[in-house]
Amino acid sequence: MKKHFTRLYLLLWLSTGICLQAAAQTRTLQGRVLDATTQKRLPFVTITNMANKKASAKTDADGHFSIQLNGHTTLAFSYVGYKTGMVSVSPADTGITVSLEQDISGLNEVVVIGYGSQQKKDLTSAVASISGKELSELPVTTINSALQARVPGVQITSGGYQPGAGTNIRIRGINTINPDGAGPTYVVDGVILTGDIRELNPYDIESIDVLKDASAAAIYGARAAQGVIIITTKKAKAGRSGIDYNGYYGVQQIYRSYDFVGAQDYANIRRIALSDEDPVAWPLNDPETDKQVFSPTELKSLAEGRSYNWPDAVTRAAPMQSHTLSISNGIGRNKIYLSGNYLDQDGIIVGSNMKRYSIKGNMESSVTDKLTMGLNSNYSHIDNHFVSNNVYYNAVSMSPLRPIYDSAGNPVVEVDPNTGNITVNNPVVQATDAINHKVDDRLIANLFLEYQVLSALRFRSSLGADIYKNQTFEYYPRTTSDGYLQRGVAKVQNFGYRDWVWENTLTYDYNPSEQHSFNVLGGFTFQKRRQEWNFEQASGFPTDELSYKNMSLANRRDYILSDYYNWAVNSYLGRVIYKFRQRYIFNVTARYDGSSRFGAENRYGFFPSVSAAWRLIDEPFIGFKLKSHVNDAKIRISYGVIGNQDINYDKIYARMNAASYPFNGNTQATGYQLGGSEGNAALKWESQHQFNAGFDLALFNSRIQATFDFYNKDIRNLLLDQTLAPSQGFDAKTINVAAMNTRGMDIGLKLWPVKTNNFDWQVNLNWSRYRSKVTSLLPGRDSLSPYLKVGEAPNSLIVDYVFDGIYQEGDDFKLNPTGRPGDIRVKDINNDGVINQYDRAIVGRTTPNAWGGVWNYFRYKRISMTIFASYMYGHDIYNKAYTDYLYVGAGRNVILKEGLNYWSPTNTDTDIPRPNAFGSALRMLPSGSSSYAVEKGDFIRIRDISLAYDFSPDLLSRIKIRSLRAYVQVMEPFLFTGFRGIDPEINGPGSGDIYPRYRTFLFGVNLGL
């Protein structure tokens, strides 16, 4: 017994010793993690104990950590956007400070490619990415505006400068001759959208990936001809919670306008213009002649020496503000991200304004270890007050002798006693009295579940919705020219659609050995849209007080129109990504689409693609010495086919129109008849066959990164509306005809000229160009209109008469027998001795030779500065508005100061014709203009200059603030161009006269708690 007791005592003593020894080896290591360059504390860094990976930890919001360790071990510190840091810890270490370097190569960044993702280094096709952080550097109201000049191959122009105006986006050149093209396809958290995306708050964006070539976009098949833009919104980060506020306040000011003559010069040139027609009947400086030239109010202003600035009366310094508050919680099984945004932007023209209210909610729940469910949603409400396109144009073209307000301070409304109509359409009245109001509501949502069937097999099902409603209300009261005679005009329009998309995919990862790996995707999708539109116009109201709010009071129903349609797309898709030895990568994709927009014969289309990449940098023959200078080298090549279904839903059907028939010789009976467009059930897809070759290169510790892509697109079976002869009974018929080719190149370059602890300088440059041309039209036809010709880019030509100077004394006037010296002269292109429509020629091309952007970032300690510029060159602009303001005659009543250099017997060295009130000097311009209106549109625009300060983490930690950044910014500060109009980035002739561009000064704050 005593022997057993002794043994038990020895066993207990030994166990206690071992435990005490283990306790002595177990310790708590504390420390912090910093950015190696800025010394900013990094929150929620993942810390992995390489000896016991289950015993891992994260830094807190202030970058501090505490971890239990035994003996000697190695810790791995990993954080998104930074290189993984490996630190060896000895038993004597109780506290450490770890500095992580930014991973400027970005090769391990994850890129969304459609129904999946890849690391950037494994991409085989042309995909451009931009992060939400980069987007937020340029506070704008829409995502597309933030993308402008930032992504190679993506050309973005503004659809207008009114608050709420959309944008036009073109990816890799012209992709169709069909004006119905809706632009690129947007995929927001898995929901497929078309049209504009102004409803999304840029601060809610995590990343944007642009699928540029057919191989990348083929997974979207018939929706991808105009390119695909995948938008991923923010979600709660695992293990992290926080509150963030982003806000700014700014003022917008018009920065470029026309310089018109003053009242006295204006009066003199008007007198000269009338006297030029008949100096005897209308002598200069004659009171009776003045009565023919000027209205009674203008004569009064002349007598009193008064002048009025109409543009100033309708423009203003306009404030704008934006506030975004977001809350996220990624701790536990349920991750939630909520954000709300309020945007209020006044327009620089009186009466224009936009308010946007948006709510973003992203939730994800790990129901079990295998089942994950989530909801991504975005709701927005936009309240938009806009002004008529005529407001600013009428202001800049109004006589400076006409008073703006009467003696009581009310806008002047002049009525012609002979016609009973308003003679002067006062733009102030148009801006303040007319009602132009739009209300938009849009819900974008996606409910998904993902189930881990096997360790390598995942099933995902999602149901997405895009529900949109737009209402437009207009009312033109009696004080406006539109509503004066009709005693008020009201217009009400309702438009809306509901898109539903159901997607189901299976993804299988198979890795039979270290040398081989497969990623296989298969699935099917179904999308359906229902769309409705109705419009009503009425006039003749007893009062203007109720405006459009009671249409039944009108005594005339001018128009009642409506439309309705639905369509559906059913698709099957598949993709295989194969990697061999981690350096040879192959991607095969296919999609089979069926669309109800086409007839039964051609309802389905097949869209395959194949691509490959060779990671040259990973080859064994690339020696260590070369790798010390070359950090990445990859060659890519791809070929694919994508389609275009963007045609009106009813092109395969013949329309019925309302008609009246004679009955019994004198009675009109209401009925219907075929008319409009003839249906074509044989319509089929436009198909785009695209080849892409490119390379990616990084040098000198990735401080020089270059991306180059060349592409060639053959586009076949183009959809075109063919005009029919009257005997056919229809106006037009949509057919598959013609082909075109677009080829070009994109270059992106990132540089880090200086990178030290205290000073950092980064430069991003991009350059793009393309050439589009029609290669065939109808058999035997090389032209269908002056603007659509074989060998030219569709809808890009400027066609007009060729300006040939000013007629001088002694010139031959056989082309203009009634002409006089000082008249416009144009060329007789076909040499038939007559100036007519056959003398019009191509006088300009609107497609640029190239465009791009330059982004510079400078940082000194905690102070940073950003300068962003864009450029475009090699294109022409049809600047007819400038010509109209330069010439005097044929109803042109305003004049630029440059227009004072007009032709006269003593001033013959000029290209501006003599003033003539009836347009005699302009009669050689049957269309009202000539090639004189065509100008080069080359420009360099400084889009943004910002100066920011990041407050010290040590200071912020004392007041429990995670981050604080304050900045000042000026947007659109400078423009360098030879273009003489308002804006070289106009979207069409005269757009700058509809709503001028503006410069913005703002102050903003980014706060994290």
Side-chain angles (χ1 to χ4, degrees):
M1 183 72 180
K2 183 177 180 180
K3 183 178 181 181
H4 289 293
F5 179 79
T6 302
R7 289 178 178 176
L8 179 59
Y9 175 78
L10 291 173
L11 181 61
L12 289 173
W13 180 84
L14 181 61
S15 300
T16 302
I18 294 174
C19 290
L20 290 173
Q21 185 180 6
Q25 292 178 344
T26 302
R27 69 194 187 284
T28 300
L29 177 71
Q30 295 183 338
R32 60 179 183 169
V33 182
L34 307 176
D35 182 299
T37 302
T38 66
Q39 296 300 297
K40 179 180 179 181
R41 295 175 181 178
L42 300 179
F44 311 112
V45 176
T46 300
I47 307 166
T48 304
N49 184 348
M50 304 306 292
N52 181 10
K53 293 185 178 181
K54 291 183 179 181
S56 298
K58 283 182 179 290
T59 61
D60 61 18
D62 295 322
H64 292 104
F65 69 90
S66 177
I67 187 171
Q68 298 294 316
L69 299 177
N70 291 320
H72 187 283
T73 188
T74 299
L75 299 179
F77 295 79
S78 58
Y79 192 63
V80 175
Y82 288 77
K83 295 179 180 178
T84 299
M86 307 297 290
V87 178
S88 179
V89 181
S90 70
D93 292 326
T94 58
I96 61 173
T97 297
V98 179
S99 296
L100 297 184
E101 294 184 357
Q102 293 185 24
D103 182 9
I104 61 177
S105 70
L107 295 179
N108 294 320
E109 292 178 359
V110 175
V111 176
V112 180
I113 58 174
Y115 304 100
S117 60
Q118 269 186 299
Q119 285 188 316
K120 185 178 178 180
K121 66 184 181 67
D122 293 334
L123 289 175
T124 58
S125 50
V127 179
S129 301
I130 186 168
S131 68
K133 181 178 182 299
E134 292 173 296
L135 288 175
S136 64
E137 290 167 353
L138 186 65
V140 291
T141 57
T142 65
I143 294 171
N144 282 347
S145 296
L147 285 174
Q148 194 168 18
R150 299 290 292 271
V151 180
V154 178
Q155 184 181 5
I156 299 175
T157 57
S158 176
Y161 305 127
Q162 286 212 53
T167 53
N168 303 286
I169 184 167
R170 179 179 287 170
I171 298 177
R172 288 193 161 185
I174 302 174
N175 297 298
T176 181
I177 59 177
N178 177 20
D180 293 333
T185 293
Y186 298 92
V187 183
V188 179
D189 291 330
V191 182
I192 298 177
L193 314 175
T194 54
D196 206 356
I197 52 171
R198 64 182 185 144
E199 294 85 4
L200 297 179
N201 175 21
Y203 279 108
D204 285 331
I205 304 305
E206 181 70 26
S207 66
I208 296 179
D209 299 282
V210 183
L211 313 185
K212 297 192 291 185
D213 69 350
S215 172
I219 197 71
Y220 292 100
R223 315 295 296 271
Q226 306 280 352
V228 178
I229 299 177
I230 300 179
I231 299 174
T232 304
T233 62
K234 290 180 180 177
K235 299 174 179 60
K237 300 291 190 295
R240 181 189 305 184
S241 63
I243 300 175
D244 290 274
Y245 166 79
N246 297 281
Y248 60 81
Y249 179 87
V251 177
Q252 307 154 102
Q253 295 179 339
I254 185 171
Y255 74 92
R256 194 174 190 191
S257 59
Y258 292 111
D259 192 7
F260 292 106
V261 299
Q264 192 59 49
D265 286 332
Y266 172 81
N268 290 338
I269 205 168
R270 288 279 302 277
R271 290 168 174 142
I272 293 170
L274 182 61
S275 182
D276 180 80
E277 185 67 19
D278 191 338
V280 176
W282 296 298
L284 280 174
N285 301 317
D286 178 69
E288 293 302 316
T289 301
D290 280 358
K291 293 179 182 179
Q292 301 294 318
V293 177
F294 306 107
S295 70
T297 56
E298 288 179 301
L299 289 172
K300 183 180 179 182
S301 297
L302 276 172
E304 297 175 352
R306 295 181 179 275
S307 179
Y308 302 93
N309 191 322
W310 284 86
D312 279 0
V314 298
T315 58
R316 62 185 176 184
M320 68 179 298
Q321 58 182 313
S322 175
H323 307 278
T324 300
L325 182 66
S326 61
I327 302 172
S328 65
N329 180 20
I331 300 173
R333 285 184 172 269
N334 301 311
K335 302 177 181 63
I336 299 176
Y337 174 88
L338 297 174
S339 97
N341 170 252
Y342 169 69
L343 170 70
D344 184 2
Q345 181 185 13
D346 281 339
I348 60 171
I349 293 183
V350 175
S352 56
N353 168 269
M354 181 190 75
K355 290 183 174 68
R356 182 181 67 201
Y357 310 83
S358 67
I359 300 175
K360 158 66 67 176
N362 288 345
M363 290 162 276
E364 186 175 307
S365 176
S366 299
V367 182
T368 67
D369 291 340
K370 292 188 175 183
L371 178 63
T372 301
M373 298 183 66
L375 172 66
N376 303 312
S377 63
N378 187 94
Y379 170 75
S380 68
H381 173 81
I382 297 178
D383 199 349
N384 195 181
H385 292 270
F386 62 100
V387 295
S388 167
N389 290 337
N390 294 325
V391 169
Y392 188 68
Y393 175 78
N394 287 345
V396 297
S397 59
M398 191 67 69
S399 164
L401 296 172
R402 290 189 179 273
I404 304 171
Y405 303 99
D406 60 22
S407 58
N410 299 314
V412 170
V413 178
E414 293 185 22
V415 179
D416 187 338
N418 297 319
T419 63
N421 201 2
I422 292 178
T423 56
V424 178
N425 202 5
N426 192 322
V428 176
V429 173
Q430 287 180 291
T432 58
D433 289 9
I435 297 174
N436 297 274
H437 186 201
K438 288 184 179 179
V439 178
D440 283 0
D441 290 279
R442 191 173 193 180
L443 173 66
I444 303 170
N446 180 28
L447 177 67
F448 70 91
L449 64 84
E450 187 171 296
Y451 185 71
Q452 194 83 26
V453 183
L454 301 171
S455 60
L457 181 64
R458 301 187 311 277
F459 169 73
R460 182 182 177 93
S461 181
S462 67
L463 179 64
D466 178 15
I467 303 173
Y468 176 74
K469 182 180 181 181
N470 167 269
Q471 295 175 289
T472 303
F473 307 102
E474 300 178 57
Y475 187 77
Y476 302 95
R478 290 161 172 78
T479 53
T480 64
S481 60
D482 290 332
Y484 181 76
L485 285 179
Q486 299 191 63
R487 293 187 293 118
V489 176
K491 302 177 183 179
V492 175
Q493 179 176 255
N494 291 282
F495 171 78
Y497 61 77
R498 291 178 292 281
D499 270 356
W500 302 96
V501 57
W502 184 36
E503 299 183 327
N504 298 272
T505 58
L506 275 171
T507 305
Y508 182 58
D509 292 302
Y510 177 55
N511 304 295
S513 68
E514 292 184 2
Q515 294 187 350
H516 305 275
S517 67
F518 295 86
N519 176 270
V520 183
L521 170 76
F524 71 89
T525 74
F526 178 77
Q527 183 173 4
K528 184 177 179 61
R529 165 175 285 200
R530 171 175 171 166
Q531 181 168 306
E532 299 162 340
W533 171 81
N534 59 70
F535 173 82
E536 180 182 359
Q537 177 178 319
S539 58
F541 290 86
T543 176
D544 290 330
E545 292 298 320
L546 295 177
S547 65
Y548 58 83
K549 296 173 185 176
N550 192 344
M551 302 283 281
S552 64
L553 294 178
N555 59 24
R556 289 185 300 273
R557 304 292 187 270
D558 300 324
Y559 299 102
I560 298 178
L561 305 170
S562 65
D563 200 1
Y564 165 87
Y565 74 83
N566 55 30
W567 52 259
V569 176
N570 189 43
S571 309
Y572 303 90
L573 56 96
R575 178 176 61 215
V576 177
I577 300 174
Y578 167 60
K579 288 197 295 184
F580 176 58
R581 293 184 176 177
Q582 299 296 314
R583 57 183 181 268
Y584 308 107
I585 309 164
F586 303 90
N587 186 321
V588 178
T589 302
R591 181 162 176 143
Y592 189 61
D593 277 328
S595 173
S596 63
R597 295 191 185 199
F598 297 92
E601 301 174 16
N602 298 300
R603 183 152 291 171
Y604 285 89
F606 181 61
F607 306 100
S609 77
V610 60
S611 60
W614 177 24
R615 287 196 53 77
L616 186 63
I617 189 65
D618 293 331
E619 287 290 351
F621 60 78
I622 303 294
F624 176 79
K625 185 175 181 180
L626 183 58
K627 281 189 177 182
S628 64
H629 300 291
V630 181
N631 309 108
D632 185 43
K634 181 175 69 173
I635 299 173
R636 296 175 280 103
I637 190 168
S638 69
Y639 182 84
V641 181
I642 49 182
N644 179 24
Q645 67 156 4
D646 282 333
I647 61 171
N648 287 341
Y649 77 102
D650 61 350
K651 293 296 186 180
I652 61 175
Y653 305 109
R655 270 189 174 272
M656 297 285 289
N657 294 333
S660 298
Y661 297 87
F663 185 71
N664 293 333
N666 55 13
T667 303
Q668 293 289 325
T670 301
Y672 303 93
Q673 67 179 13
L674 292 173
S677 179
E678 180 183 1
N680 183 2
L683 285 178
K684 55 186 177 182
W685 308 88
E686 290 185 354
S687 60
Q688 183 185 119
H689 302 248
Q690 183 176 166
F691 168 81
N692 188 94
F695 67 80
D696 305 315
L697 184 66
L699 305 171
F700 308 118
N701 198 26
S702 294
R703 290 178 62 171
I704 299 177
Q705 299 178 29
T707 299
F708 171 85
D709 281 281
F710 167 80
Y711 59 90
N712 184 75
K713 299 189 289 189
D714 286 318
I715 309 169
R716 308 167 188 172
N717 300 317
L718 290 170
L719 295 163
L720 180 70
D721 287 338
Q722 180 187 23
T723 302
L724 300 178
S727 59
Q728 298 292 315
F730 295 93
D731 299 327
K733 178 180 181 179
T734 302
I735 58 175
N736 288 104
V737 64
M740 63 178 290
N741 175 267
T742 295
R743 64 179 62 188
M745 61 183 68
D746 306 330
I747 297 176
L749 188 63
K750 293 184 178 182
L751 307 173
W752 278 263
V754 180
K755 185 172 178 59
T756 66
N757 288 338
N758 289 330
F759 184 70
D760 191 13
W761 176 22
Q762 302 175 30
V763 184
N764 288 2
L765 306 98
N766 66 81
W767 179 89
S768 305
R769 69 174 296 169
Y770 69 87
R771 289 290 178 271
S772 295
K773 64 178 181 179
V774 176
T775 54
S776 67
L777 287 170
L778 293 173
R781 299 277 299 275
D782 62 359
S783 175
L784 294 182
S785 77
Y787 311 98
L788 188 58
K789 300 174 180 289
V790 170
E792 298 286 352
N795 306 313
S796 66
L797 300 177
I798 303 174
V799 179
D800 211 328
Y801 297 92
V802 179
F803 180 79
D804 196 26
I806 303 295
Y807 277 109
Q808 306 290 342
E809 294 282 355
D811 283 352
D812 186 353
F813 284 85
K814 66 179 181 180
L815 292 176
N816 187 11
T818 62
R820 291 189 286 145
D823 284 2
I824 288 285
R825 180 171 60 195
V826 298
K827 290 185 178 181
D828 180 15
I829 298 298
N830 59 1
N831 296 314
D832 64 354
V834 179
I835 299 297
N836 54 31
Q837 61 179 332
Y838 300 107
D839 294 306
R840 300 174 76 212
I842 298 173
V843 295
R845 291 169 174 82
T846 60
T847 53
N849 283 339
W851 77 93
V854 181
W855 179 84
N856 278 276
Y857 171 80
F858 306 91
R859 181 196 59 80
Y860 177 70
K861 294 185 177 179
R862 295 188 183 92
I863 301 174
S864 60
M865 185 177 187
T866 301
I867 301 175
F868 174 48
S870 66
Y871 61 88
M872 185 180 293
Y873 62 89
H875 64 296
D876 300 305
I877 298 175
Y878 192 53
N879 194 8
K880 186 176 183 297
Y882 184 86
T883 306
D884 285 349
Y885 301 147
L886 204 63
Y887 294 170
V888 179
R892 298 173 169 94
N893 292 327
V894 293
I895 188 70
L896 295 168
K897 286 184 177 178
E898 298 97 305
L900 294 176
N901 186 34
Y902 55 81
W903 185 95
S904 70
T906 59
N907 184 40
T908 59
D909 187 17
T910 181
D911 53 9
I912 302 174
R914 71 182 198 282
N916 182 276
F918 297 94
S920 297
L922 310 177
R923 286 178 183 166
M924 289 290 284
L925 305 178
S927 65
S929 65
S930 68
S931 62
Y932 184 83
V934 179
E935 298 185 37
K936 290 296 182 184
D938 303 358
F939 71 87
I940 298 174
R941 186 188 295 277
I942 307 299
R943 291 194 174 275
D944 170 69
I945 300 176
S946 63
L947 184 66
Y949 181 78
D950 289 280
F951 286 81
S952 166
D954 291 331
L955 171 64
L956 296 178
S957 64
R958 298 172 193 165
I959 56 177
K960 305 302 182 182
I961 293 178
R962 173 165 41 91
S963 62
L964 177 60
R965 181 175 185 263
Y967 62 90
V968 291
Q969 197 159 18
V970 56
M971 300 170 64
E972 314 268 353
F974 304 111
L975 174 66
F976 306 96
T977 181
F979 179 68
R980 296 181 295 179
I982 291 291
D983 183 15
E985 288 187 272
I986 58 176
N987 191 41
S991 294
D993 303 316
I994 293 174
Y995 204 103
R997 202 157 181 151
Y998 46 84
R999 178 185 292 130
T1000 306
F1001 302 87
L1002 56 84
F1003 169 77
V1005 173
N1006 305 134
L1007 173 66
L1009 299 176

